[in-house]
């Protein structure tokens, strides 16, 4: 790794910071790998960083840079049969998609960035909890990786 290549923990921290900034008090962000007791009558935000691939073409030879790509997934879970929260969840999904669209997000040191592309919103429908439905905001990203 070098000064231009953020680590996965740096990328995850950058996304979670932006997520908290955008969500504010509109919903409850479920903490990762921690016990939580959220109010199930509100919108719950569950997120995951999903690295997917690294290009095999390194630029500049074996010690050069390559692209790492992935998806930052934001799941908005809301109670079934609650039209005001249904509308709020859709509004929040749109707000998140707009906020994460085509960003140069600082990740780690001053010269490290993760770059986002277009975002999509999917109506997932019923969730694993039969009393809830969910929307999924998918944020495509890439960053430089490799180097010395």
């Amino acid at each position: 790794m070098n000064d231009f290549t953020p680590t996965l923990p740096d990328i995850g921290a950058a996304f979670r910071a932006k997520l908290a900034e955008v969500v504010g008090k509109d919903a409850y962000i479920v903490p990762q790998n921690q016990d939580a007791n959220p109010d199930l009558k509100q919108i719950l935000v569950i997120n995951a960083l999903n690295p997917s691939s690294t290009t095999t073409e390194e630029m500049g030879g074996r010690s050069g840079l390559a692209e790492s790509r992935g998806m930052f997934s934001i799941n908005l879970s809301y109670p079934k049969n609650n039209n005001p929260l249904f509308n709020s969840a859709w509004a929040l999904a749109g707000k998140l998609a707009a906020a994460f669209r085509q960003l140069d997000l600082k990740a780690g040191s001053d010269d490290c960035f993760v770059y986002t592309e277009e975002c999509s919103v999917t109506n997932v429908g019923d969730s694993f909890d039969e009393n809830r439905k969910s929307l999924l905001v998918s944020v495509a990203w890439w960053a430089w990786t490799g180097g010395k």
Side-chain angles (χ1 to χ4, degrees):
M1 295 295 171
N2 67 30
D3 293 340
F4 302 107
T5 59
T7 65
L8 286 176
D10 289 339
I11 293 170
F15 276 122
R16 288 188 299 278
K18 182 69 175 175
L19 178 66
E21 173 190 314
V22 175
V23 169
K25 296 184 183 203
D26 292 343
Y28 177 80
I29 299 174
V30 178
Q32 292 183 332
N33 299 318
Q34 298 175 28
D35 290 334
N37 192 13
D39 178 0
L40 298 179
K41 295 179 184 170
Q42 64 183 353
I43 298 170
L44 304 179
V45 179
I46 302 160
N47 65 88
L49 180 69
N50 301 303
S52 62
S53 66
T54 300
T55 58
T56 55
E57 318 77 45
E58 293 181 344
M59 293 177 244
R62 191 167 180 89
S63 63
L65 297 176
E67 283 183 14
S68 180
R69 294 188 165 273
M71 194 69 64
F72 182 62
S73 302
I74 307 166
N75 186 297
L76 306 176
S77 170
Y78 57 93
K80 273 186 182 177
N81 303 318
N82 185 325
N83 281 338
L85 276 184
F86 167 77
N87 293 332
S88 295
W90 271 104
L92 181 56
K95 184 178 171 183
L96 287 163
F100 278 99
R101 182 180 178 271
Q102 297 184 350
L103 286 180
D104 297 357
L105 197 58
K106 188 184 295 191
S109 73
D110 287 340
D111 294 326
C112 290
F113 291 88
V114 58
Y115 304 94
T116 67
E117 297 176 351
E118 296 299 325
C119 303
S120 65
V121 178
T122 305
N123 184 354
V124 177
D126 291 340
S127 67
F128 62 91
D129 179 344
E130 64 186 43
N131 296 316
R132 299 186 73 82
K133 290 196 173 265
S134 66
L135 301 172
L136 179 65
V137 179
S138 300
V139 181
W141 62 266
W142 70 274
W144 294 117
T145 188
K148 285 191 175 198

